[in-house]
Amino acid sequence: MSPFLGNLSFLRSLYLQDNRFQEKIPVELGRLFRLQYLNLSTNSLQGEIPTNLSNYLSYVDLTFNDLVGKVPASFGSLSKLTNLYLFSNHLIGGIPPSLGNLSLLLALDLGGNNITGTIPHSICLLPNLEVFGIGGNYVSGTVPPQLYNISTLTSLVIPDNQLTGSLPQDIGITLPNLRRIGVWGNQFWGPIPVSISNASRMELLDLSINSLSGKLVKLGFYENSFGGVLPPSTANLSSKLDELLAGRNQLVGTIPEGISNLIELAKIGFEQNSFSGVIPFEIGKLRQLRGLLLSKNKLSGPIPASIGNLTLLFELELTENNLNGTIPSSIENILGLQSLDLSHNFFTGPIPRTVGLFSTLTFLNLDHNSFMGALPLEIGKLINLGELNVADNKLSGPIPSSLGNSLKLESLLLDGNMFQGSIPPTFSSLRGVQILDLSRNNLSSQIPEGLAALRILKRLNLSFNNLSGEVPSHGVFGNLSTLSLVGNEGLCGGIAEMQLPACPKSKKKGNRLGFKIIVPIACIFPSLLLVSKAGGCNSPVKERLENSF
């Protein structure tokens, strides 16, 4: 930026956003004493923010740059300032208490920096503040209680810091104009404020910028330490609610059946809590649902058959619960499923063949259950599958050779089952596989030579089977750090470091072949003598013999 901009003494507005300006902001801009609007956002400006900017400034936007240093305390003397946006830079230090002098300030956004310290109490004295954002910093301590009394606040976005304490139960009352609140990624504890879930004017309780005017569309309290139960009034939230995110807290109790009233819900995130009871059958009424994340809770009972009504679902994660029963057949209706994780539960019965219908599936994890029977051949039709994990179940029968068609597989874990037969030679087609674990089964026969051609294979575990024959000595079989073959007593050969017995030499077949050739000739030779005696070289018998040769 040219320092000669400072010569434009009558300049009132300077808009240079969305360019590629670099280096420092010219200090000469401080000579523009009539400047009221300054927007240098979305550039690559470096250095520190000048401290001599015009006292007439009412609007400053320096977001999305590479500015360093501290937030200038001198900003506190810009008495006409109404909007200050410094989001997404590399600013350090604390929030200047002098900013509490800006009685006209409407919006203050310092998010996405490296700001430390606590929230100054002076900020709570700003009588007209509507937007307060410090998300994505290292601010610690408790939120001053007076901040929750700034009745003009419409947006309180303070996520991803190190804040602690509890949220006031009456926050929805003391902040009657609040439309957005984001608190995730802190250390807040205590119950979720009931007054927020009753706030009919709320648009956003998360960090997202998408909202529908006048209606709550996102409710997010994830990654804190909130406890207690999910307020029953949650079921009375706006019917326009799009996401309900309360994962990674300490919530207990059951999932309210009334959640089915939120018919526009596209995502439920209750993972890593202590929810108990069953998955409500009524959840099948949420036909717009695309993500259902209930992992790492204490849920029990079966998966409700109504899950098949969620035909738009593409993410179903139920891992690490106490769920049981079989996979309901209605799941075949969810044709767009991309991620299915039922691992670490108590599911039984066979894996449905209809799993092969999920052509969009990229992640399938069923490990640590009690699934039995054969692995369906149809799984080989999942050409987009990147990870398949059915370890530690009771599966039996041969490993389907059709798995060799899943060319996008990066991780294939079949260990800890009762698979029999040989390792399918088609596995040599899995050029993208990085982890292949077939250990702790009843596999027999030889190791396919083609496995040595899997160049990016990082881990191959074939241990504790009944494999026999010669071990290849190249490819992954030449690196002991990526290979495990223990517990296969019939193996031989391989590289010397494996210390396997030498393979027995194959028997020579040359003598036996010679015997097969000599004997017929010996038998034919007397016949030739007879031919010679019978009619010489031109006899019919001789001609027949020659034709036979």
Side-chain angles (χ1 to χ4, degrees):
M1 291 178 59
S2 173
F4 295 106
L5 286 170
N7 296 334
L8 305 175
S9 56
F10 285 89
L11 197 66
R12 296 175 182 271
S13 302
L14 180 59
Y15 296 100
L16 296 176
Q17 70 271 23
D18 298 312
N19 284 286
R20 298 181 181 179
F21 290 115
Q22 300 177 356
E23 299 186 5
K24 296 182 178 181
I25 300 174
V27 294
E28 288 80 2
L29 294 186
R31 299 205 299 259
L32 303 175
F33 62 92
R34 292 184 175 89
L35 194 64
Q36 298 178 23
Y37 300 94
L38 176 63
N39 190 341
L40 306 179
S41 62
T42 318
N43 281 284
S44 299
L45 296 169
Q46 304 170 12
E48 297 185 3
I49 300 172
T51 59
N52 62 341
L53 296 177
S54 167
N55 288 333
Y56 280 89
L57 276 171
S58 64
Y59 185 99
V60 176
D61 189 348
L62 304 177
T63 59
F64 295 105
N65 279 287
D66 296 313
L67 299 170
V68 298
K70 298 181 179 181
V71 178
S74 59
F75 276 171
S77 63
L78 305 181
S79 58
K80 298 184 182 300
L81 198 62
T82 60
N83 297 75
L84 178 57
Y85 302 107
L86 304 178
F87 181 84
S88 191
N89 281 281
H90 306 291
L91 302 175
I92 59 173
I95 301 172
S98 61
L99 297 182
N101 299 329
L102 304 175
S103 59
L104 299 180
L105 196 65
L106 302 176
L108 175 61
D109 192 344
L110 308 177
N113 284 284
N114 298 310
I115 294 174
T116 56
T118 59
I119 299 175
H121 284 75
S122 61
I123 297 295
C124 307
L125 303 177
L126 298 172
N128 299 302
L129 192 64
E130 297 178 0
V131 176
F132 180 61
I134 57 171
N137 283 287
Y138 299 95
V139 180
S140 58
T142 58
V143 177
Q146 297 84 353
L147 187 65
Y148 299 124
N149 293 324
I150 303 178
S151 60
T152 54
L153 267 181
T154 62
S155 179
L156 179 60
V157 184
I158 55 177
D160 200 16
N161 279 284
Q162 299 171 2
L163 297 168
T164 185
S166 59
L167 294 181
Q169 287 296 297
D170 60 350
I171 188 173
I173 300 173
T174 59
L175 300 178
N177 297 302
L178 197 63
R179 300 291 186 274
R180 301 183 176 193
I181 179 171
V183 300
W184 62 269
N186 283 286
Q187 299 169 17
F188 289 113
W189 47 269
I192 296 176
V194 176
S195 60
I196 282 186
S197 58
N198 282 331
S200 60
R201 294 183 179 180
M202 191 73 69
E203 293 177 0
L204 177 65
L205 280 82
D206 195 40
L207 187 57
S208 172
I209 61 173
N210 299 310
S211 64
L212 298 175
S213 179
K215 296 294 184 181
L216 174 64
V217 293
K218 294 181 188 294
L219 173 58
F221 286 102
Y222 49 99
E223 293 183 13
N224 281 285
S225 298
F226 288 115
V229 300
L230 198 64
S233 56
T234 302
N236 300 324
L237 292 169
S238 167
S239 60
K240 296 296 183 182
L241 189 67
D242 179 68
E243 293 187 3
L244 179 55
L245 309 175
R248 302 178 188 180
N249 282 286
Q250 299 174 12
L251 299 173
V252 297
T254 59
I255 299 174
E257 294 181 0
I259 201 173
S260 60
N261 296 335
L262 310 177
I263 56 175
E264 295 294 326
L265 267 182
K267 186 173 184 179
I268 295 178
F270 291 167
E271 72 279 8
Q272 295 187 36
N273 280 284
S274 295
F275 285 111
S276 57
V278 300
I279 300 173
F281 186 87
E282 289 75 11
I283 209 164
K285 297 179 180 179
L286 303 176
R287 295 179 182 269
Q288 301 301 316
L289 204 61
R290 289 165 173 79
L292 180 57
L293 313 180
L294 305 178
S295 298
K296 297 184 179 180
N297 280 283
K298 299 178 180 178
L299 299 170
S300 57
I303 300 175
S306 61
I307 200 80
N309 297 334
L310 309 180
T311 56
L312 300 180
L313 199 67
F314 63 80
E315 190 177 16
L316 178 59
E317 296 187 2
L318 306 178
T319 182
E320 294 189 38
N321 280 285
N322 298 314
L323 299 170
N324 55 42
T326 60
I327 299 177
S329 58
S330 61
I331 201 171
E332 66 184 36
N333 299 327
I334 315 175
L335 296 180
L337 201 60
Q338 296 179 18
S339 177
L340 176 61
D341 193 345
L342 307 181
S343 61
H344 292 270
N345 280 286
F346 298 95
F347 290 114
T348 58
I351 298 174
R353 298 174 61 182
T354 52
V355 171
L357 297 175
F358 305 142
S359 59
T360 55
L361 201 64
T362 61
F363 180 86
L364 178 57
N365 190 354
L366 306 176
D367 78 295
H368 283 85
N369 280 285
S370 295
F371 289 113
M372 59 186 66
L375 189 63
L377 298 173
E378 288 75 9
I379 288 184
K381 297 179 181 180
L382 303 177
I383 57 175
N384 293 304
L385 197 62
E387 180 172 340
L388 173 60
N389 188 350
V390 295
D392 292 290
N393 279 282
K394 299 179 180 179
L395 299 172
S396 58
I399 297 176
S401 60
S402 59
L403 282 176
N405 298 327
S406 301
L407 301 183
K408 293 185 180 180
L409 268 178
E410 297 180 2
S411 179
L412 178 56
L413 308 177
L414 308 180
D415 50 298
N417 283 283
M418 296 179 285
F419 288 117
Q420 302 170 343
S422 59
I423 300 173
T426 56
F427 278 12
S428 60
S429 300
L430 302 176
R431 301 296 181 180
V433 72
Q434 300 180 37
I435 300 175
L436 179 57
D437 195 337
L438 307 179
S439 63
R440 297 181 292 123
N441 280 287
N442 298 318
L443 299 174
S444 57
S445 192
Q446 290 185 309
I447 298 173
E449 180 75 21
L451 294 185
L454 302 178
R455 298 185 180 277
I456 65 173
L457 195 59
K458 297 179 180 178
R459 192 181 85 198
L460 175 62
N461 192 349
L462 305 178
S463 59
F464 299 104
N465 279 286
N466 299 313
L467 299 172
S468 60
E470 186 172 4
V471 176
S473 57
H474 56 287
V476 68
F477 295 96
N479 186 355
L480 290 183
S481 64
T482 61
L483 178 68
S484 179
L485 297 175
V486 297
N488 291 282
E489 297 181 359
L491 293 177
C492 61
I495 60 175
E497 291 81 358
M498 291 184 185
Q499 299 181 348
L500 294 173
C503 294
K505 295 182 179 180
S506 57
K507 295 180 181 180
K508 293 184 178 181
K509 301 180 180 180
N511 293 338
R512 188 176 179 184
L513 180 60
F515 179 76
K516 289 180 179 179
I517 295 174
I518 292 171
V519 170
I521 292 177
C523 295
I524 291 171
F525 185 71
S527 301
L528 293 177
L529 292 177
L530 292 173
V531 169
S532 178
K533 292 180 180 180
C537 293
N538 298 320
S539 69
V541 177
K542 178 186 175 186
E543 291 180 3
R544 287 197 299 270
L545 287 172
E546 288 177 347
N547 291 335
S548 67
F549 279 105

